[in-house]
Amino acid sequence: MSHPLLPDDATRLVVEDLGKAFQGGPRATARGRTWALRHLSLKLGRGESLGLVGPNGAGKTTLLRVLTGVLHPEEGRFLLPSSWAGVLDNGPGFHGELSGRRNVELAGVLLGARRRDIRRKIADIEHFAGLEGYLDMPLKRYSTGMAVRLGFAVAASLEPELMFMDEVLVHVDAEFRERVENRLEELRRRGTTFVHVSHDLAWLGRMTSRVLWMHLGAVRADGAPGAILRDYAVAMHESVVGSG
Amino acid sequence: MVRQADARNPAAARATSAWIEVSAASRPLAARWSFFWARRDVVGVLTRRILSGRYHQTLLGVGWAVVHPLLAIGVFTWVFSHWLADQAPGGSWLAHNALGWVPWGFFTTALSGSAASLVGHADLLHQVALPRLALPLAVLLARCVDLLLALVVVFGLLLVDGTPIAGSVWLVPLPIVGLGLQAVGAGMMLAYVEVRWRDVGQVLPYLLQLGVFVTPVVVPAAVLAGAWPPLPYVNPAWGHVEAVRGLALGHSLDPSIMAAAWAWTALAIAAGAFTFRRTQQHVGEWL
């Protein structure tokens, strides 16, 4: 294995020429594979918050799955700090038969926390989710919104150096959304680096300091949120009008 | 691959302490021992998740872990003591069947459970990177809970039955460990085969059912080995199942058969370790 120079202290993610291919598909190459992601390079610093936008199939979730170890790349490499968390789904592993408390431990450990650390934070998580008194009830009796709140409270209790989030804030009310935004902003000020995938452009406008527009597995544009999100919104609108 | 950052740097307190590198040529994150160690708590929480899922919405709950083997032991003992009463090996059909069925049930459920562990948790494996060893290990641990309960009941039955328990009973955990490692090693390899070819899930239950008739579970070892002498060496579970019964009742054990059983266990561990290190990168895509 190569021994490249380590990134400097202010760096939190280095992606070099990353490629991920799947079998089959309409854009399959001679070897029968379609590149869902190709020649993607990226560098993120401490406290940066990156938003990923792009139409369905642009490779946003594939990129997150590769960077969080769910999928392994065919090309390229990446470096990330050992303290990272990948929130690709709200409340990973949540099981209806287990109590809220047990599910908190389960999801927290699956997201990379130690069990004892999660146990220590359980009162904070309960408070953040606004679910005081419900934690010993089986999760199957929770409403959708309650389960989402609990799942998000687990993710928000983590304090990793790098955090990936894929469209995790649906089904929550405006009050909880604001609480989440405040918490993420607090983490970012303390140095956590974020990568957000979302189709909610207003949310990305508030929560990111940089946006990457992906198209067919490659970077189409990279820059400040204002300009990129505006161009992207226009392009999406035109494609709807054009096809309609 | 994890390396320490430069500690001499005055900004080290703010610098990331260690880096993880993943490249196309490197081992996938999920197949690294360092990742397994960092996420070792996953095994415990998954074991609890499996246990809570297994007996939910049942009146007896975990009591089924005891009722299942009791029913099987009861049926076989009733049948055998009616038609083959005078051929009871070592005195009692109840003792013979109970001490065969419990390790066999543990082995087959641990094997089929770990073989199904990846396909059965596909949703989870799409959400988070799990160390490859975590799911089969959690399945095995959850089965150990069932086994402990069943063993308590079996030894209770032996006391009621008046069957003398030998001093060597304290060595019974050894063949149990041999069976468990065999199940999880082979199960792990089958789990990865099943990700690609789901046929494994269709075929395995029938193979394990056939296994009852080529392993000294209820049919006495002498009858089976009489039909085909190499069988005790060819059947991986044979020696361990015999050892559980032999150690509990004080029968003498054939050292060459025991050696064969442990050789099979070593082979299964090697197969599991090979799978851990070398399985293709495409598990996430085929699930």
Side-chain angles (χ1 to χ4, degrees), chain A residues 1 9 11-12 20 22 68 70 72 74 76-82 89 92-93 97-98 102 105 109-110 112 114-115 140 161, chain B residues 9 14-16 18-24 26 28 39-42 48-49 52 56-57 124-125 127 129-130 281-282 285:
Chain A
M1 191 176 285
D9 291 341
T11 304
R12 286 295 178 271
K20 176 71 206 166
F22 293 100
T68 57
V70 172
H72 192 72
E74 266 79 34
R77 63 166 198 141
F78 60 91
L79 282 156
L80 73 179
S82 57
D89 224 314
E97 299 299 329
L98 291 169
R102 298 295 193 209
E105 281 178 32
V109 167
L110 287 174
R114 298 301 311 276
R115 201 163 167 176
K140 63 183 174 186
E161 292 182 3
Chain B
N9 191 312
R14 295 226 148 174
T16 192
W19 288 93
I20 297 171
E21 181 181 355
V22 176
S23 74
S26 75
R39 301 281 169 109
R40 59 190 180 279
D41 288 357
V42 162
R48 198 160 58 191
R49 188 178 189 264
S52 79
H56 73 93
Q57 298 278 322
L124 201 57
L125 292 162
Q127 295 173 338
L130 281 181
Q281 307 176 351
H282 304 291
E285 292 149 51

Short mmCIF file of all heavy atoms in Angstrom, two decimals, chain A residues 1 9 11-12 20 22 68 70 72 74 76-82 89 92-93 97-98 102 105 109-110 112 114-115 140 161, chain B residues 9 14-16 18-24 26 28 39-42 48-49 52 56-57 124-125 127 129-130 281-282 285:
data_model
loop_
_atom_site.label_atom_id
_atom_site.label_comp_id
_atom_site.label_asym_id
_atom_site.label_seq_id
_atom_site.Cartn_x
_atom_site.Cartn_y
_atom_site.Cartn_z
N MET A 1 0.84 -1.20 0.00
CA MET A 1 0.00 0.00 0.00
C MET A 1 0.88 1.25 0.00
O MET A 1 1.93 1.28 0.62
CB MET A 1 -0.89 -0.03 1.25
CG MET A 1 -1.98 1.01 1.22
SD MET A 1 -3.04 0.82 2.65
CE MET A 1 -3.97 -0.63 2.17
N ASP A 9 -3.43 19.51 9.25
CA ASP A 9 -4.30 19.45 10.42
C ASP A 9 -5.69 20.01 10.19
O ASP A 9 -6.63 19.67 10.89
CB ASP A 9 -3.65 20.21 11.59
CG ASP A 9 -2.43 19.47 12.07
OD1 ASP A 9 -2.32 18.26 11.77
OD2 ASP A 9 -1.59 20.08 12.74
N THR A 11 -7.46 19.60 7.54
CA THR A 11 -8.21 18.80 6.57
C THR A 11 -9.00 17.71 7.28
O THR A 11 -8.54 17.13 8.26
CB THR A 11 -7.23 18.18 5.55
OG1 THR A 11 -6.49 19.23 4.96
CG2 THR A 11 -7.99 17.42 4.48
N ARG A 12 -10.22 17.45 6.79
CA ARG A 12 -11.04 16.41 7.41
C ARG A 12 -11.48 15.33 6.42
O ARG A 12 -12.00 14.29 6.83
CB ARG A 12 -12.28 17.02 8.07
CG ARG A 12 -11.99 17.76 9.36
CD ARG A 12 -11.48 16.82 10.43
NE ARG A 12 -11.14 17.52 11.66
CZ ARG A 12 -9.93 18.03 11.93
NH1 ARG A 12 -8.95 17.90 11.04
NH2 ARG A 12 -9.71 18.65 13.06
N LYS A 20 -16.89 4.29 -8.65
CA LYS A 20 -17.69 3.14 -8.21
C LYS A 20 -18.56 2.69 -9.38
O LYS A 20 -19.30 3.49 -9.95
CB LYS A 20 -18.57 3.53 -7.02
CG LYS A 20 -19.51 2.44 -6.54
CD LYS A 20 -18.78 1.33 -5.86
CE LYS A 20 -19.51 0.02 -5.93
NZ LYS A 20 -18.64 -1.11 -5.56
N PHE A 22 -21.36 -0.28 -11.08
CA PHE A 22 -22.32 -1.35 -10.83
C PHE A 22 -22.50 -2.16 -12.11
O PHE A 22 -22.33 -1.64 -13.21
CB PHE A 22 -23.67 -0.77 -10.40
CG PHE A 22 -23.64 -0.10 -9.07
CD1 PHE A 22 -23.57 1.28 -8.99
CD2 PHE A 22 -23.67 -0.83 -7.89
CE1 PHE A 22 -23.54 1.91 -7.75
CE2 PHE A 22 -23.65 -0.21 -6.67
CZ PHE A 22 -23.58 1.17 -6.59
N THR A 68 -18.69 5.84 3.59
CA THR A 68 -19.00 5.27 4.90
C THR A 68 -18.77 3.76 4.94
O THR A 68 -19.16 3.10 5.90
CB THR A 68 -20.46 5.56 5.31
OG1 THR A 68 -21.33 5.05 4.29
CG2 THR A 68 -20.71 7.05 5.47
N VAL A 70 -20.05 1.27 3.26
CA VAL A 70 -21.12 0.35 2.87
C VAL A 70 -20.78 -0.30 1.53
O VAL A 70 -21.01 -1.49 1.31
CB VAL A 70 -22.48 1.08 2.81
CG1 VAL A 70 -23.57 0.19 2.23
CG2 VAL A 70 -22.88 1.56 4.20
N HIS A 72 -17.53 -0.60 -1.56
CA HIS A 72 -16.09 -0.43 -1.73
C HIS A 72 -15.82 0.10 -3.14
O HIS A 72 -16.44 -0.34 -4.09
CB HIS A 72 -15.39 -1.77 -1.52
CG HIS A 72 -13.91 -1.65 -1.40
ND1 HIS A 72 -13.31 -1.12 -0.29
CD2 HIS A 72 -12.91 -1.97 -2.25
CE1 HIS A 72 -11.99 -1.12 -0.46
NE2 HIS A 72 -11.73 -1.64 -1.64
N GLU A 74 -14.13 0.98 -6.87
CA GLU A 74 -13.35 0.28 -7.90
C GLU A 74 -12.10 1.07 -8.27
O GLU A 74 -11.15 0.52 -8.79
CB GLU A 74 -14.19 0.07 -9.16
CG GLU A 74 -14.90 -1.27 -9.23
CD GLU A 74 -16.14 -1.29 -8.38
OE1 GLU A 74 -16.79 -0.23 -8.30
OE2 GLU A 74 -16.47 -2.34 -7.80
N GLY A 76 -9.57 4.76 -7.27
CA GLY A 76 -9.27 5.90 -6.42
C GLY A 76 -9.12 5.55 -4.95
O GLY A 76 -9.06 4.36 -4.58
N ARG A 77 -9.06 6.58 -4.11
CA ARG A 77 -8.89 6.36 -2.68
C ARG A 77 -9.47 7.54 -1.91
O ARG A 77 -9.77 8.59 -2.49
CB ARG A 77 -7.41 6.20 -2.33
CG ARG A 77 -6.60 7.44 -2.62
CD ARG A 77 -5.24 7.38 -1.95
NE ARG A 77 -4.68 8.73 -1.89
CZ ARG A 77 -3.99 9.21 -0.87
NH1 ARG A 77 -3.75 8.46 0.18
NH2 ARG A 77 -3.53 10.44 -0.88
N PHE A 78 -9.64 7.35 -0.62
CA PHE A 78 -10.03 8.48 0.22
C PHE A 78 -9.47 8.30 1.63
O PHE A 78 -9.15 7.20 2.05
CB PHE A 78 -11.56 8.67 0.27
CG PHE A 78 -12.34 7.49 0.79
CD1 PHE A 78 -12.63 7.39 2.14
CD2 PHE A 78 -12.80 6.51 -0.06
CE1 PHE A 78 -13.36 6.32 2.64
CE2 PHE A 78 -13.53 5.43 0.42
CZ PHE A 78 -13.81 5.34 1.77
N LEU A 79 -9.33 9.43 2.31
CA LEU A 79 -8.84 9.45 3.69
C LEU A 79 -9.86 10.18 4.53
O LEU A 79 -10.33 11.25 4.14
CB LEU A 79 -7.52 10.23 3.76
CG LEU A 79 -6.25 9.54 3.29
CD1 LEU A 79 -5.23 10.58 2.88
CD2 LEU A 79 -5.70 8.66 4.39
N LEU A 80 -10.21 9.59 5.66
CA LEU A 80 -11.11 10.30 6.57
C LEU A 80 -10.66 10.05 8.00
O LEU A 80 -9.96 9.08 8.27
CB LEU A 80 -12.57 9.92 6.33
CG LEU A 80 -13.18 8.59 6.73
CD1 LEU A 80 -14.64 8.57 6.35
CD2 LEU A 80 -12.48 7.42 6.09
N PRO A 81 -11.02 10.96 8.92
CA PRO A 81 -10.59 10.78 10.30
C PRO A 81 -11.26 9.55 10.91
O PRO A 81 -12.37 9.18 10.48
CB PRO A 81 -11.04 12.06 11.01
CG PRO A 81 -12.01 12.70 10.11
CD PRO A 81 -11.80 12.19 8.73
N SER A 82 -10.62 8.92 11.89
CA SER A 82 -11.22 7.71 12.48
C SER A 82 -12.50 8.07 13.23
O SER A 82 -13.34 7.21 13.46
CB SER A 82 -10.23 7.01 13.39
OG SER A 82 -9.79 7.89 14.40
N ASP A 89 -29.50 6.81 7.19
CA ASP A 89 -30.90 6.49 7.42
C ASP A 89 -31.22 6.93 8.84
O ASP A 89 -30.36 6.89 9.69
CB ASP A 89 -31.10 4.97 7.30
CG ASP A 89 -32.33 4.66 6.50
OD1 ASP A 89 -33.36 5.28 6.76
OD2 ASP A 89 -32.25 3.78 5.62
N PRO A 92 -30.68 3.95 12.37
CA PRO A 92 -30.30 2.68 11.76
C PRO A 92 -30.51 1.52 12.73
O PRO A 92 -30.17 1.63 13.90
CB PRO A 92 -28.82 2.87 11.42
CG PRO A 92 -28.36 3.98 12.29
CD PRO A 92 -29.54 4.87 12.48
N GLY A 93 -31.08 0.44 12.23
CA GLY A 93 -31.27 -0.75 13.05
C GLY A 93 -32.48 -0.69 13.97
O GLY A 93 -32.78 -1.67 14.64
N GLU A 97 -39.78 -3.98 18.44
CA GLU A 97 -40.01 -4.69 19.69
C GLU A 97 -39.17 -4.17 20.84
O GLU A 97 -39.50 -4.40 22.00
CB GLU A 97 -39.72 -6.19 19.51
CG GLU A 97 -40.59 -6.88 18.47
CD GLU A 97 -42.06 -6.80 18.82
OE1 GLU A 97 -42.40 -6.78 20.01
OE2 GLU A 97 -42.88 -6.73 17.88
N LEU A 98 -38.08 -3.50 20.51
CA LEU A 98 -37.20 -2.99 21.57
C LEU A 98 -37.72 -1.65 22.08
O LEU A 98 -38.37 -0.91 21.35
CB LEU A 98 -35.78 -2.81 21.04
CG LEU A 98 -34.99 -4.07 20.70
CD1 LEU A 98 -33.72 -3.71 19.94
CD2 LEU A 98 -34.62 -4.84 21.96
N ARG A 102 -33.42 0.98 24.39
CA ARG A 102 -32.57 -0.03 23.73
C ARG A 102 -32.27 0.37 22.29
O ARG A 102 -31.19 0.11 21.77
CB ARG A 102 -33.27 -1.39 23.74
CG ARG A 102 -33.54 -1.97 25.11
CD ARG A 102 -32.26 -2.27 25.83
NE ARG A 102 -32.49 -3.08 27.00
CZ ARG A 102 -31.71 -3.05 28.08
NH1 ARG A 102 -30.66 -2.25 28.11
NH2 ARG A 102 -31.96 -3.84 29.10
N GLU A 105 -29.44 2.85 22.17
CA GLU A 105 -28.14 2.18 22.28
C GLU A 105 -27.76 1.51 20.95
O GLU A 105 -26.64 1.61 20.48
CB GLU A 105 -28.18 1.11 23.37
CG GLU A 105 -28.04 1.67 24.76
CD GLU A 105 -28.12 0.59 25.82
OE1 GLU A 105 -27.68 -0.55 25.55
OE2 GLU A 105 -28.63 0.87 26.91
N VAL A 109 -24.59 2.74 18.69
CA VAL A 109 -23.46 1.84 18.48
C VAL A 109 -23.26 1.57 16.98
O VAL A 109 -22.14 1.54 16.49
CB VAL A 109 -23.66 0.52 19.27
CG1 VAL A 109 -22.67 -0.53 18.84
CG2 VAL A 109 -23.52 0.79 20.77
N LEU A 110 -24.38 1.41 16.25
CA LEU A 110 -24.26 1.18 14.80
C LEU A 110 -23.65 2.40 14.10
O LEU A 110 -23.01 2.28 13.07
CB LEU A 110 -25.62 0.86 14.18
CG LEU A 110 -26.17 -0.53 14.50
CD1 LEU A 110 -27.59 -0.68 13.97
CD2 LEU A 110 -25.28 -1.62 13.91
N GLY A 112 -21.33 4.12 15.37
CA GLY A 112 -19.91 4.18 15.70
C GLY A 112 -19.59 4.61 17.12
O GLY A 112 -18.42 4.72 17.48
N ARG A 114 -19.38 4.20 21.32
CA ARG A 114 -19.26 3.11 22.28
C ARG A 114 -20.55 3.06 23.10
O ARG A 114 -21.17 4.08 23.35
CB ARG A 114 -18.06 3.34 23.22
CG ARG A 114 -16.69 3.38 22.52
CD ARG A 114 -16.36 2.11 21.78
NE ARG A 114 -16.58 0.89 22.56
CZ ARG A 114 -15.68 0.38 23.41
NH1 ARG A 114 -14.53 0.96 23.60
NH2 ARG A 114 -15.95 -0.74 24.07
N ARG A 115 -20.91 1.85 23.54
CA ARG A 115 -22.16 1.67 24.27
C ARG A 115 -22.21 2.50 25.55
O ARG A 115 -23.21 3.12 25.88
CB ARG A 115 -22.29 0.19 24.60
CG ARG A 115 -23.68 -0.28 24.89
CD ARG A 115 -23.64 -1.78 24.77
NE ARG A 115 -24.80 -2.44 25.29
CZ ARG A 115 -24.97 -3.75 25.19
NH1 ARG A 115 -24.05 -4.48 24.59
NH2 ARG A 115 -26.03 -4.33 25.67
N LYS A 140 -42.53 0.32 18.54
CA LYS A 140 -43.67 0.13 17.64
C LYS A 140 -44.87 0.97 18.03
O LYS A 140 -45.76 1.19 17.21
CB LYS A 140 -44.05 -1.35 17.55
CG LYS A 140 -44.53 -1.95 18.85
CD LYS A 140 -44.82 -3.42 18.68
CE LYS A 140 -45.17 -4.05 20.02
NZ LYS A 140 -45.34 -5.49 19.92
N GLU A 161 -15.68 14.05 14.13
CA GLU A 161 -14.96 15.10 13.38
C GLU A 161 -15.57 15.29 12.00
O GLU A 161 -15.45 16.34 11.41
CB GLU A 161 -13.48 14.71 13.27
CG GLU A 161 -12.77 14.74 14.62
CD GLU A 161 -11.30 14.40 14.52
OE1 GLU A 161 -10.81 14.20 13.40
OE2 GLU A 161 -10.65 14.35 15.57
N ASN B 9 3.22 18.68 16.41
CA ASN B 9 2.55 19.87 15.92
C ASN B 9 1.81 20.57 17.05
O ASN B 9 1.06 19.95 17.78
CB ASN B 9 1.56 19.46 14.83
CG ASN B 9 1.02 20.66 14.09
OD1 ASN B 9 0.60 21.63 14.73
ND2 ASN B 9 1.03 20.59 12.79
N ARG B 14 -6.08 20.00 18.09
CA ARG B 14 -7.18 20.24 17.17
C ARG B 14 -7.07 19.36 15.94
O ARG B 14 -8.02 19.28 15.17
CB ARG B 14 -7.17 21.70 16.74
CG ARG B 14 -7.46 22.63 17.90
CD ARG B 14 -8.45 23.64 17.48
NE ARG B 14 -9.28 24.03 18.60
CZ ARG B 14 -10.18 25.02 18.52
NH1 ARG B 14 -10.32 25.67 17.41
NH2 ARG B 14 -10.91 25.31 19.56
N ALA B 15 -5.91 18.75 15.75
CA ALA B 15 -5.73 17.91 14.57
C ALA B 15 -6.42 16.57 14.79
O ALA B 15 -6.59 16.13 15.91
CB ALA B 15 -4.25 17.68 14.30
N THR B 16 -6.84 15.96 13.70
CA THR B 16 -7.46 14.66 13.82
C THR B 16 -6.43 13.65 14.31
O THR B 16 -5.25 13.71 13.93
CB THR B 16 -8.10 14.26 12.49
OG1 THR B 16 -8.92 13.15 12.70
CG2 THR B 16 -7.08 13.96 11.43
N ALA B 18 -6.22 10.29 14.11
CA ALA B 18 -5.83 9.15 13.28
C ALA B 18 -6.62 9.20 11.98
O ALA B 18 -7.75 9.68 11.95
CB ALA B 18 -6.14 7.85 14.01
N TRP B 19 -6.01 8.70 10.93
CA TRP B 19 -6.66 8.69 9.62
C TRP B 19 -6.98 7.27 9.19
O TRP B 19 -6.24 6.35 9.50
CB TRP B 19 -5.77 9.34 8.57
CG TRP B 19 -5.68 10.82 8.71
CD1 TRP B 19 -4.73 11.52 9.40
CD2 TRP B 19 -6.57 11.80 8.16
NE1 TRP B 19 -4.97 12.86 9.32
CE2 TRP B 19 -6.09 13.07 8.56
CE3 TRP B 19 -7.72 11.73 7.37
CZ2 TRP B 19 -6.73 14.25 8.20
CZ3 TRP B 19 -8.34 12.91 7.01
CH2 TRP B 19 -7.86 14.16 7.42
N ILE B 20 -8.08 7.13 8.50
CA ILE B 20 -8.42 5.85 7.90
C ILE B 20 -8.27 6.03 6.40
O ILE B 20 -8.79 7.01 5.84
CB ILE B 20 -9.87 5.44 8.22
CG1 ILE B 20 -10.04 5.25 9.73
CG2 ILE B 20 -10.25 4.17 7.48
CD1 ILE B 20 -11.48 5.06 10.15
N GLU B 21 -7.54 5.11 5.77
CA GLU B 21 -7.40 5.21 4.32
C GLU B 21 -8.09 4.02 3.66
O GLU B 21 -7.93 2.88 4.07
CB GLU B 21 -5.91 5.21 3.92
CG GLU B 21 -5.77 5.35 2.42
CD GLU B 21 -4.34 5.34 1.94
OE1 GLU B 21 -3.42 5.31 2.80
OE2 GLU B 21 -4.12 5.34 0.72
N VAL B 22 -8.89 4.31 2.66
CA VAL B 22 -9.53 3.26 1.87
C VAL B 22 -9.20 3.53 0.42
O VAL B 22 -9.33 4.65 -0.04
CB VAL B 22 -11.06 3.26 2.06
CG1 VAL B 22 -11.72 2.21 1.16
CG2 VAL B 22 -11.44 3.01 3.51
N SER B 23 -8.72 2.50 -0.28
CA SER B 23 -8.49 2.67 -1.71
C SER B 23 -9.02 1.46 -2.44
O SER B 23 -9.34 0.44 -1.83
CB SER B 23 -6.99 2.85 -2.00
OG SER B 23 -6.34 1.62 -1.86
N ALA B 24 -9.12 1.58 -3.76
CA ALA B 24 -9.64 0.48 -4.57
C ALA B 24 -8.87 -0.79 -4.29
O ALA B 24 -9.42 -1.88 -4.26
CB ALA B 24 -9.59 0.85 -6.04
N SER B 26 -7.14 -1.51 -1.48
CA SER B 26 -7.04 -1.89 -0.07
C SER B 26 -8.18 -2.82 0.32
O SER B 26 -9.13 -3.01 -0.42
CB SER B 26 -7.07 -0.65 0.82
OG SER B 26 -8.40 -0.14 0.90
N PRO B 28 -11.55 -3.80 2.06
CA PRO B 28 -12.72 -3.00 2.43
C PRO B 28 -12.75 -2.74 3.93
O PRO B 28 -12.29 -3.58 4.72
CB PRO B 28 -13.90 -3.87 2.00
CG PRO B 28 -13.36 -4.79 0.98
CD PRO B 28 -11.92 -5.02 1.33
N ARG B 39 -15.57 -1.17 16.44
CA ARG B 39 -17.03 -1.30 16.50
C ARG B 39 -17.46 -2.55 17.26
O ARG B 39 -18.54 -3.09 17.01
CB ARG B 39 -17.60 -1.37 15.08
CG ARG B 39 -17.30 -0.17 14.21
CD ARG B 39 -18.23 0.99 14.55
NE ARG B 39 -17.82 2.22 13.92
CZ ARG B 39 -18.45 2.82 12.91
NH1 ARG B 39 -19.50 2.26 12.39
NH2 ARG B 39 -18.01 3.95 12.43
N ARG B 40 -16.64 -3.02 18.19
CA ARG B 40 -16.93 -4.32 18.83
C ARG B 40 -18.25 -4.32 19.60
O ARG B 40 -18.86 -5.37 19.77
CB ARG B 40 -15.77 -4.74 19.72
CG ARG B 40 -15.43 -3.78 20.84
CD ARG B 40 -14.11 -4.18 21.49
NE ARG B 40 -13.71 -3.31 22.57
CZ ARG B 40 -13.10 -2.14 22.39
NH1 ARG B 40 -12.85 -1.70 21.18
NH2 ARG B 40 -12.75 -1.40 23.42
N ASP B 41 -18.70 -3.17 20.08
CA ASP B 41 -19.97 -3.12 20.82
C ASP B 41 -21.16 -3.52 19.95
O ASP B 41 -22.24 -3.84 20.47
CB ASP B 41 -20.21 -1.72 21.38
CG ASP B 41 -19.28 -1.40 22.54
OD1 ASP B 41 -18.52 -2.31 22.92
OD2 ASP B 41 -19.33 -0.28 23.05
N VAL B 42 -20.97 -3.49 18.63
CA VAL B 42 -22.04 -3.85 17.71
C VAL B 42 -22.53 -5.28 17.97
O VAL B 42 -23.72 -5.56 17.89
CB VAL B 42 -21.55 -3.69 16.25
CG1 VAL B 42 -22.43 -4.44 15.29
CG2 VAL B 42 -21.48 -2.22 15.88
N ARG B 48 -28.87 -8.68 21.14
CA ARG B 48 -30.11 -8.34 21.82
C ARG B 48 -31.24 -8.10 20.82
O ARG B 48 -32.39 -8.48 21.05
CB ARG B 48 -29.90 -7.11 22.68
CG ARG B 48 -30.97 -6.94 23.72
CD ARG B 48 -30.53 -6.04 24.84
NE ARG B 48 -30.15 -4.74 24.31
CZ ARG B 48 -29.51 -3.81 25.02
NH1 ARG B 48 -29.18 -4.06 26.25
NH2 ARG B 48 -29.21 -2.66 24.50
N ARG B 49 -30.89 -7.48 19.68
CA ARG B 49 -31.90 -7.23 18.65
C ARG B 49 -32.43 -8.56 18.10
O ARG B 49 -33.64 -8.72 17.90
CB ARG B 49 -31.25 -6.42 17.53
CG ARG B 49 -32.22 -5.91 16.47
CD ARG B 49 -31.44 -5.09 15.45
NE ARG B 49 -32.29 -4.39 14.51
CZ ARG B 49 -32.60 -4.85 13.31
NH1 ARG B 49 -32.18 -6.04 12.94
NH2 ARG B 49 -33.34 -4.14 12.49
N SER B 52 -34.68 -10.27 20.80
CA SER B 52 -35.99 -9.65 21.00
C SER B 52 -36.89 -9.90 19.80
O SER B 52 -38.10 -9.97 19.94
CB SER B 52 -35.84 -8.16 21.23
OG SER B 52 -35.63 -7.50 20.00
N HIS B 56 -40.84 -12.41 19.90
CA HIS B 56 -41.81 -11.35 20.16
C HIS B 56 -43.22 -11.84 19.84
O HIS B 56 -43.42 -12.70 18.99
CB HIS B 56 -41.47 -10.09 19.38
CG HIS B 56 -41.73 -10.18 17.90
ND1 HIS B 56 -42.91 -9.78 17.33
CD2 HIS B 56 -40.97 -10.65 16.90
CE1 HIS B 56 -42.85 -9.99 16.03
NE2 HIS B 56 -41.70 -10.51 15.74
N GLN B 57 -44.18 -11.29 20.54
CA GLN B 57 -45.59 -11.62 20.35
C GLN B 57 -45.87 -13.11 20.57
O GLN B 57 -46.77 -13.68 19.96
CB GLN B 57 -46.06 -11.23 18.95
CG GLN B 57 -45.96 -9.75 18.64
CD GLN B 57 -47.13 -8.95 19.18
OE1 GLN B 57 -48.25 -9.40 19.14
NE2 GLN B 57 -46.87 -7.77 19.71
N LEU B 124 -30.17 -3.40 7.06
CA LEU B 124 -29.15 -2.84 7.95
C LEU B 124 -27.83 -2.62 7.20
O LEU B 124 -27.17 -1.60 7.36
CB LEU B 124 -28.92 -3.84 9.09
CG LEU B 124 -28.30 -3.31 10.36
CD1 LEU B 124 -29.15 -2.18 10.90
CD2 LEU B 124 -28.21 -4.43 11.38
N LEU B 125 -27.48 -3.57 6.34
CA LEU B 125 -26.20 -3.50 5.63
C LEU B 125 -26.19 -2.42 4.56
O LEU B 125 -25.14 -2.06 4.04
CB LEU B 125 -25.85 -4.87 5.04
CG LEU B 125 -25.54 -5.92 6.09
CD1 LEU B 125 -25.64 -7.32 5.51
CD2 LEU B 125 -24.16 -5.71 6.68
N GLN B 127 -27.56 0.50 5.36
CA GLN B 127 -27.55 1.73 6.16
C GLN B 127 -26.19 2.03 6.76
O GLN B 127 -25.79 3.19 6.84
CB GLN B 127 -28.56 1.61 7.31
CG GLN B 127 -30.01 1.51 6.87
CD GLN B 127 -30.92 1.23 8.04
OE1 GLN B 127 -30.48 0.70 9.07
NE2 GLN B 127 -32.17 1.56 7.91
N ALA B 129 -21.97 0.49 7.66
CA ALA B 129 -20.91 -0.50 7.45
C ALA B 129 -20.79 -1.31 8.73
O ALA B 129 -20.58 -0.76 9.80
CB ALA B 129 -19.60 0.20 7.14
N LEU B 130 -21.00 -2.62 8.62
CA LEU B 130 -20.87 -3.50 9.77
C LEU B 130 -19.62 -4.33 9.59
O LEU B 130 -19.35 -4.80 8.49
CB LEU B 130 -22.06 -4.46 9.85
CG LEU B 130 -23.37 -3.96 10.40
CD1 LEU B 130 -24.37 -5.10 10.39
CD2 LEU B 130 -23.18 -3.45 11.81
N GLN B 281 -15.66 -7.61 -3.19
CA GLN B 281 -16.04 -6.28 -2.73
C GLN B 281 -17.51 -6.02 -2.98
O GLN B 281 -18.02 -4.97 -2.63
CB GLN B 281 -15.23 -5.24 -3.50
CG GLN B 281 -13.75 -5.51 -3.44
CD GLN B 281 -12.98 -4.53 -4.30
OE1 GLN B 281 -13.58 -3.78 -5.04
NE2 GLN B 281 -11.68 -4.55 -4.19
N HIS B 282 -18.20 -6.95 -3.60
CA HIS B 282 -19.51 -6.63 -4.16
C HIS B 282 -20.68 -6.98 -3.26
O HIS B 282 -21.81 -6.94 -3.70
CB HIS B 282 -19.69 -7.32 -5.51
CG HIS B 282 -18.59 -6.99 -6.45
ND1 HIS B 282 -18.44 -5.73 -6.98
CD2 HIS B 282 -17.57 -7.73 -6.92
CE1 HIS B 282 -17.37 -5.72 -7.77
NE2 HIS B 282 -16.82 -6.91 -7.74
N GLU B 285 -23.55 -4.64 -3.20
CA GLU B 285 -24.34 -4.50 -4.43
C GLU B 285 -25.30 -5.65 -4.64
O GLU B 285 -26.37 -5.49 -5.21
CB GLU B 285 -23.41 -4.41 -5.64
CG GLU B 285 -22.60 -3.14 -5.64
CD GLU B 285 -21.25 -3.35 -6.28
OE1 GLU B 285 -21.20 -3.87 -7.40
OE2 GLU B 285 -20.24 -3.00 -5.64
#
